[in-house]
């Protein structure tokens, strides 16, 4: 079993794009499990996703997150955030960290000035470049949003890409 902890950004748009990454990891890495830590504002993107074993909020206490993850088999931290304590979680759990280049510089130096503005297309490309070591590639399908039957669909019309909404 190979476990991945994926830390997602605050942007709903970028979180939706990461559903492609989560789907690709699950489909292309044998016996993988994906755990997501996400800001409360974007947790809905991953909560009902069948490719995700557990979703946690970055608003939770560090000790609560660690207690939920300590008995899980997680090996890698895929960090798409600038939240400082995500790296602490990785260190405490002994995870091997990976991050897109623009964030890996931030994660080393903790200086926001090193973060460059990236476009939607670049974000997806950088996310998959981060996973090249695992031979995880983009399947060129749309991002997915899984929602319960009763939940109202959010307004996705303003997004510069299509999203497949699926009901569970």
């Amino acid at each position: 079993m190979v476990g991945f902890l994926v830390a997602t950004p605050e942007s709903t748009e970028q979180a939706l794009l990461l559903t492609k990454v989560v789907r690709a990891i699950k489909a292309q890495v044998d016996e993988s499990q994906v755990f997501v830590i996400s800001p409360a504002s974007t947790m809905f993107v991953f909560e009902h996703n069948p490719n995700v074993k557990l979703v946690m909020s970055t608003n939770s206490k560090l000790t609560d997150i660690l207690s939920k993850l300590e008995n899980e088999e997680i090996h890698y931290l895929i960090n798409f955030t600038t939240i400082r304590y995500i790296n602490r979680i990785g260190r405490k759990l002994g995870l091997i960290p990976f991050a897109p280049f623009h964030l890996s510089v931030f994660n080393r130096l903790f200086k926001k000035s090193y973060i460059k503005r990236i476009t939607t297309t670049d974000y997806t490309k950088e996310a998959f470049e981060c996973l090249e070591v695992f031979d995880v590639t983009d399947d060129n399908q749309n991002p997915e949003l899984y929602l319960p039957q009763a939940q109202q669909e959010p307004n996705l019309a303003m997004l510069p890409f299509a999203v497949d909404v699926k009901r569970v």
Side-chain angles (χ1 to χ4, degrees):
M1 187 68 61
V2 180
F4 294 87
L5 176 60
V6 179
T8 69
E10 288 186 24
S11 160
T12 299
E13 184 176 321
Q14 291 177 340
L16 282 165
L17 288 170
L18 285 180
T19 64
K20 295 174 64 150
V21 172
V22 167
R23 180 180 62 226
I25 290 171
K26 192 70 176 155
Q28 297 173 28
V29 178
D30 291 338
E31 296 186 32
S32 62
Q33 291 185 354
V34 178
F35 302 83
V36 170
I37 184 162
S38 176
S41 61
T42 58
M43 282 182 68
F44 76 96
V45 172
F46 300 98
E47 282 180 323
H48 302 286
N49 190 318
N51 298 311
V52 176
K53 181 173 180 182
L54 178 65
V55 181
M56 296 157 293
S57 172
T58 55
N59 299 348
S60 300
K61 291 180 181 178
L62 181 61
T63 53
D64 294 342
I65 293 169
L66 290 171
S67 68
K68 287 181 183 177
L69 296 176
E70 67 187 356
N71 294 322
E72 299 290 350
E73 199 169 325
I74 305 173
H75 306 91
Y76 304 103
L77 169 62
I78 312 296
N79 192 356
F80 295 104
T81 73
T82 56
I83 299 171
R84 232 177 135 156
Y85 86 92
I86 297 297
N87 289 327
R88 284 180 52 205
I89 292 169
R91 282 193 304 273
K92 289 198 178 278
L93 295 173
L95 306 181
I96 300 170
F98 288 87
F101 176 74
H102 73 283
L103 289 177
S104 62
V105 170
F106 175 86
N107 289 331
R108 281 196 308 270
L109 302 174
F110 298 110
K111 293 182 181 177
K112 290 185 180 184
S113 60
Y114 286 91
I115 297 179
K116 63 182 180 184
R117 175 117 176 96
I118 53 176
T119 64
T120 301
T121 307
D122 289 338
Y123 188 81
T124 306
K125 182 177 180 235
E126 283 199 34
F128 279 103
E129 284 176 358
C130 174
L131 298 169
E132 281 180 344
V133 71
F134 302 104
D135 291 327
V136 173
T137 58
D138 192 345
D139 59 10
N140 295 314
Q141 295 179 28
N142 291 335
E144 300 170 320
L145 177 60
Y146 291 86
L147 297 173
Q149 295 293 337
Q151 186 173 340
Q152 184 177 350
E153 186 174 315
N155 182 6
L156 303 173
M158 299 301 288
L159 292 176
F161 53 87
V163 175
D164 295 337
V165 177
K166 301 180 179 190
R167 297 289 176 173
V168 290

